[in-house]
Amino acid sequence: MATRRDFLKLAALGAGAFILGFSGGYLYGSSRPPTAITPAAKVYSLSLLGRDAEHNDINSAVIDFFTRENPNYKVDYTPLAYSPLYDKIVLTLQQGSSAVDLVYMDDPWIPQFGEAGWLVDIESLAKEAGVTLDLGDFPKVLIDVGRHPYKTGKLVAFPQMGNVQIFAYRRDVFDKLGLAEPKTWTDVLNACEKIKVSGLVEYPIAFRGVKGNPVATAFQPILYAFGGKIVSDDLKKSALDSKAVEALEFLLQLKKYAPPGVENFNTPDVRDRLVGGRIAMSTETWPGWIKDADNPAVSKVPGLLAYTVTPGERERPSPLLGVWYWGINVASQNKVAALNYILYTTSARMQKLMAIYKGLPPVRSSVGNDKEVIGLRRWVAVQVKSLETAVPRPRTPLWPKIEDIFGSYVNQVLAGKISPADAVAKASEEIDRVLAGG
């Protein structure tokens, strides 16, 4: 368990890291920074569109490092909330504007941007620049998702933040009740009953239930574990069937052990209860929720949460991928300089530093196995392991519309407005219309 003193050391480490970097030494890796592929004499200005919140915190720290170690670069980062970022990227790329060099993308956006031809082929650019990309240290699914078409096409996006669902539970509660780590969703349901009877916490479990993306995302690892799918493998029709009905019926069983109004819960409602010690389990946990869970200054459960991969059932565990990627605008006038920045921010050295200092969920396997990292961020080992089995959202540009439909009906089931069977039937009809172009 990381103590308060450990976190004070962490803060000191972060400050020291900047000092070391600026004075010509380097905290991690070799004594040299990542290989620069642009002449030092020329001055480069890069414009980046990115996310706000913790993304801004991490990316701003990387930029601080980068510009001090590469004084011939000026980097402007514009942080935006999720929807405004998507809209701004689409408008910029659609207009063919060269005002933005790098765009920061949620992985479901890649099929749309790749299909439109808005992003540079990173492998071809690297070859032209005489650079060999180090892809072997990344879980294969991350590189597959960065390609368009999926798995087989050009590498148009490079992974930066390794968001993925993991499963969190109160180890102390499980130990007191003699419960083993959940391996299946049935294990989770059985644990809920015992925890409820014990009265050790307010509620055994919680999950995001608000309509749209939140409940769709929270429910998918359960759906996949029951053998269900949302869209067919050829992306031409709905794949919702009796397995989806069964998974929804199971979700209603879990609801019995969740706080009242869970159908309206969003991220803060679940995260704050988990770190506040009010629930024993969360069906999904994202790294950003628990990055400081062991810090006694901000958490009521330091050292008490345990982490594992999301449970399986009939199928293997299938945590949902939520990785953020960098892409280079095809209209950029600074493509090689932009590539240089990508190589810097995704280097093992910088991924390790940001994992420790800022709680970045790393995308490199080597960082997930690093003892220094997992000594202060216990969840990182499970997070990187989960990337190996993670399932990306269907690789279609139509996913946002499909997710909205799916999430709306799952929410209605939780609210008691429609039966699981009717929800699956109606969602399937609407999804089929979207995929048919209707």
Side-chain angles (χ1 to χ4, degrees), residues 176-258:
K176 286 179 182 178
L177 298 177
L179 296 170
E181 179 177 278
K183 301 296 183 184
T184 67
W185 287 107
T186 297
D187 291 341
V188 172
L189 184 62
N190 292 338
C192 282
E193 178 61 26
K194 293 183 179 180
I195 293 169
K196 179 181 179 181
V197 171
S198 76
L200 291 173
V201 292
E202 288 184 27
Y203 292 94
I205 200 164
F207 49 85
R208 294 188 294 169
V210 72
K211 71 176 182 178
N213 169 272
V215 72
T217 301
F219 176 59
Q220 280 175 82
I222 299 175
L223 172 66
Y224 295 149
F226 275 78
K229 290 182 179 180
I230 301 173
V231 178
S232 61
D233 290 341
D234 62 7
L235 305 176
K236 293 183 178 180
K237 60 182 180 180
S238 167
L240 294 172
D241 56 14
S242 61
K243 296 173 183 176
V245 175
E246 187 177 2
L248 282 169
E249 290 171 344
F250 180 85
L251 185 64
L252 288 176
Q253 292 298 309
L254 286 182
K255 183 190 175 186
K256 296 177 182 178
Y257 299 98

Side-chain angles (χ1 to χ4, degrees), residues 103-123:
V103 292
Y104 190 60
M105 305 170 288
D106 194 6
D107 75 77
W109 304 348
I110 296 172
Q112 177 188 356
F113 299 172
E115 186 70 21
W118 293 338
L119 302 173
V120 168
D121 179 349
I122 294 174
E123 284 178 310

